[in-house]
Amino acid sequence: MDAEAVFKRYDIRGRYPEELDEKFAERLGKAFGTFVVENDGEKVVVAKDTKESSEDLKKNFVMGLVSTGVDVLDTGTGPTDYAAFSGMKENCFSVMVTSSHMPLEFNGFKFMYPEGNGLLNEDLDKVKDIFREKDFAEDKGEIENIPTRMDRLYRSEILKLISSYENRAELRDITVVLETMGGATSKFLSDLLKEREIDLIDISEKDSPVIDPPNPKPENLDHVEEKVEEEDAYLGLATDLDGDRIAVYYDGKWLEGNQIFNILIKETRPDNIVASVDTSKQVEEMADRADADISYTRVGDPFVIDKTLEEDAELSGEPNGHYCFKELVPYNSGTYAALLLATANYNDLKYMPKRHNLRESVKVQDKHEKMEEVISKVEDRYEVISEVDGVKFRVEDAEVLIRPSGSSHKLRIIVDAGNEKEAEEVLGISEKLVRNS
């Protein structure tokens, strides 16, 4: 078993069964159980998504866990924020069997701290070292099935929190089209939206994913667009397989992630916001209008949510569709986001700040060496905004982020400008800077 192939930057992902299978899952359970024991833990919450392979992977992972003396609280099927919420309520680590929005041939595992946020790199590396060395703790733990109790608690907590926000659905004839992509949010989201008095058209496959990949990108959601237009619905909502991403279709187009972030700022009125450094300046401008403080951190949800806890921020997010509401749990929740977005006032979009974003990737031989060369040139030529993740700098009125990819030898370029023409010109300048460094 090649740990290097499946232990990724934030989680574990690989092709099933070629790269990870039931035998791998049991050994991983032993490794994570040993990590928990070494950190004075006694129990672990385990949940899974709706993928067929997730059931046997979870079963074998649990076998590995209990062999280390760790007790398992099995919450059954649900989104990843549900697993994190359950672990937070039980004051223990939690694990989700999922490969999120990856193609259906993949599966994997996500790990969360007792506070609810995802494991950081250094702790995932410790789990990998234990996995390699096979020096596992040995004892006998027990298994307790708690889905009924935890389902009820999760639902009631969401409804209690969401009731503090104005529900405008009853003021208008709102129809919403929902696509959960056969994923884990289907367990809760449809019923919760109906509780909000929304006329819901749920076109989701209930029991298992059928859209491959189960990623709520526009190219995978033509049928949602068609249904919204056919039913003259107010908007369409889509979540990914494990429910940590959300997409919104409104007025004939899919909103980009920064626009969704702005809508959520207006809906929740937070005092403190955390965003990944690739977030558009329009979000900062919206935060200013809302009289909220905004802090930036590295790209990647473990870093964003760790910063969320550090700053005690009520709202955090990334332009890829990840949004975290700490009042529920410090983990990205497509379920909670959907409930807020379903009754939001999208007419406000016309008054919100507008920017144009372009993204490009450049293959390089050594991303770390190339990144150092790029930073040196940028520091000589431009005003640097941030070096928290790669380098972010100004080119006239535009902002550019150049950062190393987390998974391949590429440099990512993100340009945020006032209009499309300026964005294209600055992207050309930035690509030349990378290629000539």
Side-chain angles (χ1 to χ4, degrees):
M1 298 180 192
D2 183 8
E4 297 298 333
V6 296
F7 276 79
K8 306 298 183 182
R9 193 177 179 197
Y10 316 125
D11 53 21
I12 291 171
R13 282 172 281 126
R15 287 179 174 81
Y16 173 86
E18 295 86 356
E19 294 179 313
L20 57 80
D21 57 12
E22 288 76 13
K23 186 177 178 181
F24 173 94
E26 183 175 355
R27 180 170 158 186
L28 180 63
K30 292 179 178 181
F32 190 68
T34 302
F35 170 81
V36 170
V37 170
E38 290 177 352
N39 285 273
D40 301 319
E42 297 179 350
K43 56 187 178 181
V44 173
V45 161
V46 182
K48 69 172 183 68
D49 65 21
T50 54
K51 200 177 292 183
E52 185 178 353
S53 60
S54 297
E55 181 63 44
D56 286 338
L57 287 175
K58 187 183 86 167
K59 179 181 176 181
N60 283 267
F61 180 80
V62 167
M63 286 172 54
L65 275 177
V66 296
S67 75
T68 67
V70 170
D71 293 332
V72 171
L73 302 176
D74 188 343
T75 59
T77 301
T80 301
D81 70 289
Y82 165 72
F85 173 89
S86 302
M88 181 183 70
K89 291 300 182 182
E90 295 290 335
N91 192 31
C92 66
F93 285 94
S94 56
V95 181
M96 178 74 177
V97 182
T98 187
S99 55
S100 191
H101 58 283
M102 298 286 288
L104 295 181
E105 65 187 288
F106 285 77
N107 214 321
F109 299 82
K110 291 183 176 183
F111 307 94
M112 284 73 70
Y113 294 108
E115 294 79 10
N117 56 315
L119 241 63
L120 296 172
N121 295 151
E122 55 264 33
D123 282 329
L124 191 56
D125 286 343
K126 290 176 184 176
V127 176
K128 180 166 70 172
D129 290 341
I130 297 169
F131 180 92
R132 281 177 177 155
E133 294 163 8
K134 300 184 185 180
D135 186 13
F136 304 131
E138 292 186 23
D139 205 337
K140 187 176 181 180
E142 297 182 350
I143 302 172
E144 181 183 0
N145 294 308
I146 62 167
T148 302
R149 170 165 64 86
M150 205 51 69
D151 288 3
R152 187 164 52 243
L153 184 59
Y154 179 73
R155 289 174 190 270
S156 63
E157 188 82 3
I158 286 178
L159 288 173
K160 181 183 75 174
L161 291 170
I162 211 76
S163 67
S164 66
Y165 299 102
E166 182 184 359
N167 184 359
R168 286 183 290 268
E170 62 202 71
L171 304 180
R172 296 168 294 178
D173 183 18
I174 286 181
T175 301
V176 173
V177 174
L178 175 65
E179 171 61 276
T180 65
M181 310 195 88
T185 57
S186 60
K187 182 176 182 179
F188 301 106
L189 187 49
S190 182
D191 289 343
L192 288 168
L193 283 166
K194 289 173 184 175
E195 288 267 0
R196 296 282 279 163
E197 302 179 40
I198 290 166
D199 179 18
L200 185 68
I201 301 173
D202 189 350
I203 61 174
S204 312
E205 177 68 36
K206 295 295 183 186
D207 299 322
S208 61
V210 293
I211 299 170
D212 193 6
N215 189 352
K217 287 188 171 183
E219 57 264 33
N220 300 325
L221 298 170
D222 287 347
H223 62 296
V224 177
E225 298 179 21
E226 291 168 4
K227 195 66 175 177
V228 170
E229 304 306 332
E230 176 189 324
E231 300 289 341
D232 194 25
Y234 180 58
L235 77 162
L237 297 172
T239 55
D240 70 340
L241 184 67
D242 74 321
D244 68 348
R245 293 178 188 235
I246 183 112
V248 179
Y249 184 74
Y250 173 75
D251 195 26
K253 60 182 179 296
W254 289 97
L255 303 187
E256 57 103 11
N258 295 299
Q259 291 177 301
I260 297 173
F261 209 159
N262 280 346
I263 289 285
L264 290 170
I265 290 171
K266 189 172 186 304
E267 291 299 303
T268 61
R269 292 290 175 178
D271 292 322
N272 293 293
I273 301 166
V274 167
S276 55
V277 72
D278 61 336
T279 301
S280 169
K281 188 177 179 180
Q282 66 177 282
V283 174
E284 183 174 329
E285 293 172 358
M286 188 64 192
D288 287 343
R289 290 187 188 183
D291 198 25
D293 293 326
I294 186 165
S295 303
Y296 294 95
T297 190
R298 293 172 63 183
V299 174
D301 59 289
F303 309 116
V304 173
I305 298 175
D306 186 55
K307 186 74 169 177
T308 301
L309 291 170
E310 180 186 324
E311 298 292 333
D312 195 26
E314 298 93 338
L315 173 67
S316 59
E318 301 179 85
N320 62 5
H322 282 156
Y323 306 101
C324 166
F325 310 88
K326 190 171 66 64
E327 63 183 357
L328 175 66
V329 61
Y331 201 88
N332 302 308
S333 178
T335 300
Y336 200 69
L339 291 166
L340 287 167
L341 292 164
T343 57
N345 186 352
Y346 291 86
N347 289 328
D348 294 339
L349 282 170
K350 67 183 74 170
Y351 306 112
M352 290 180 179
K354 294 179 176 64
R355 304 280 290 178
H356 193 86
N357 303 111
L358 291 176
R359 292 173 178 253
E360 190 59 76
S361 295
V362 178
K363 289 184 178 180
V364 296
Q365 196 162 24
D366 185 317
K367 62 184 176 184
H368 303 295
E369 183 179 310
K370 178 65 79 169
M371 193 69 241
E372 288 182 7
E373 294 170 0
V374 167
I375 290 173
S376 178
K377 283 193 174 181
V378 167
E379 289 176 338
D380 287 341
R381 301 178 187 179
Y382 301 104
E383 177 191 352
V384 173
I385 301 169
S386 171
E387 291 187 39
V388 70
D389 190 355
V391 62
K392 190 171 187 177
F393 56 98
R394 286 192 178 86
V395 180
E396 297 178 355
D397 293 329
E399 294 185 351
V400 181
L401 173 67
I402 301 177
R403 56 178 292 271
S405 165
S407 57
S408 60
H409 279 286
K410 295 178 181 177
L411 294 190
R412 311 286 192 196
I413 304 172
I414 301 100
V415 175
D416 182 46
N419 57 67
E420 184 175 1
K421 181 181 178 182
E422 181 185 21
E424 289 174 350
E425 290 174 355
V426 173
L427 180 61
I429 292 169
S430 303
E431 284 187 274
K432 284 181 183 177
L433 189 149
V434 170
R435 297 183 192 282
N436 295 334
S437 293

